[in-house]
Amino acid sequence: MVSYVRNATPTVSRVIALTLFLIGALFPFYWMLVTSLKDRQEIYSGKLTLWPQNLTFSNYIDTFQNSNFPQYFMNSFIVSISSSILVLFVSILGGYSMARYSFRGKKLFLISFLATQMIPVMVILVPLFISFSHLHLLNKLPSLIITYTAMNIPFCLLTMSSFFQRIPVSLEEAALIDGCNKFQTMTKIILPIMRPGIVATLVFAFTGAWNDLFFGVMFTNSESTKTVPVGLSSFVQKFDINWGQMSAAGILSLIPVVIMFAFAQKYIVSGLTEGAVKG
C-alpha cells in the first residue's frame, strides 16, 4: 500500500502542475472572450464578473460595422498566405537541393542560414526601411510579404532539408527506373511522403507572418494597409480604450490560426518530431 502511494504521488503532482499550467495559459483567452460578450457599462463598472450579466454580441457587430477590422483582417490574410506559399516553394526546392546534392561551400551555406537566426531584428530594420523607401514599397503590402518571406526562409529551408534526408534515395531511383522523370518523381513520390513536413512548414510561416507586429508598425501607417496586430492598437485611443471591441477583434483574429491548427494538428506533430531528427 505504501509503495502504491509513493508511485501515485509523482503522477498526481504532474497532473496538478499541468492543470495549473493549463488554467494559467487558457485564462487570458477566456477573459478576452468574456470581455467581448459584455456591454460597455458592465466592462467599466469595476465589478469583477466571470461571465457577462447581460450577454451581448454588440462588440462583434460594432467591430465589423464601425471599424476597419475587416480591412485589417484581409490585409493580414493576403500577406500571410502569400509569404507562406513563397516560403514553402523556396523551402521545398532549396531543402531538396541541400539534402540531395553536394557542392563546394555547402557547409558554409548552412552555417550562414543558421547565423541569420541569431541576428537581432533591429540590426536589419534600417537597411530594410531605406531599401523599401527607394523602391517605393513603404506603406504597401508587398514590403511585408518580402520581409516575412525572407525572415522565414532560413528556418523552413533547413527544416525541409531534414525531411528530405529522411527519405531514402532508393525511392527516387526506383521511380526513375519505372520511367518517371524528375518532376514526376517529386510530385508523385516525394511530396506525398513529405506531407507532414510541408504542412508544418506552411503553418510555421503563416503564423509567423500573421502574428507579427514589429514590421507591420514600421512599414505600414495607413488604414488600408494595416494588418490585424497593428490594427488592434487602433482601439487604444488617447483618452479611452475600447476594451469590448478590442477583445472581440482579438477573438476574431485567432480564428484562422485555430482552424489551421485544428485541421493540421496530426501533420504538425509528426512533422515537427520527424524534421527535428536528422536521418
Side-chain angles (χ1 to χ4, degrees), residues 164 167-176 178 180-195:
F164 280 117
I167 299 177
V169 181
S170 58
L171 287 178
E172 298 180 49
E173 295 174 345
L176 293 174
D178 289 340
C180 293
N181 55 37
K182 274 287 186 181
F183 180 78
Q184 292 173 329
T185 302
M186 176 66 73
T187 55
K188 295 182 179 181
I189 306 297
I190 304 301
L191 292 185
I193 300 175
M194 289 282 295
R195 190 176 301 170

Side-chain angles (χ1 to χ4, degrees), residues 122-182:
M122 294 298 296
V123 174
I124 64 174
L125 176 61
V126 174
L128 279 176
F129 189 89
I130 295 174
S131 299
F132 289 145
S133 178
H134 290 323
L135 294 172
H136 304 288
L137 291 177
L138 288 179
N139 205 31
K140 294 180 181 178
L141 296 183
S143 63
L144 296 179
I145 295 174
I146 294 172
T147 302
Y148 297 148
T149 301
M151 295 292 291
N152 288 323
I153 279 178
F155 177 81
C156 293
L157 189 148
L158 293 175
T159 302
M160 294 297 291
S161 177
S162 298
F163 277 103
F164 280 117
Q165 290 175 4
R166 294 179 61 87
I167 299 177
V169 181
S170 58
L171 287 178
E172 298 180 49
E173 295 174 345
L176 293 174
I177 293 174
D178 289 340
C180 293
N181 55 37
K182 274 287 186 181

Side-chain angles (χ1 to χ4, degrees), residues 163 195-197 199-200 203 260-274:
F163 277 103
R195 190 176 301 170
V199 174
V203 171
M260 180 172 288
F261 272 95
F263 283 98
Q265 181 180 4
K266 65 177 182 179
Y267 296 112
I268 295 172
V269 173
S270 60
L272 292 177
T273 53
E274 291 180 7

Side-chain angles (χ1 to χ4, degrees), residues 80 83 148 152 202-213 215 257:
S80 300
S83 62
Y148 297 148
N152 288 323
L202 182 66
V203 171
F204 175 84
F206 183 89
T207 53
W210 183 270
N211 294 329
D212 178 76
L213 172 64
F215 290 110
V257 178

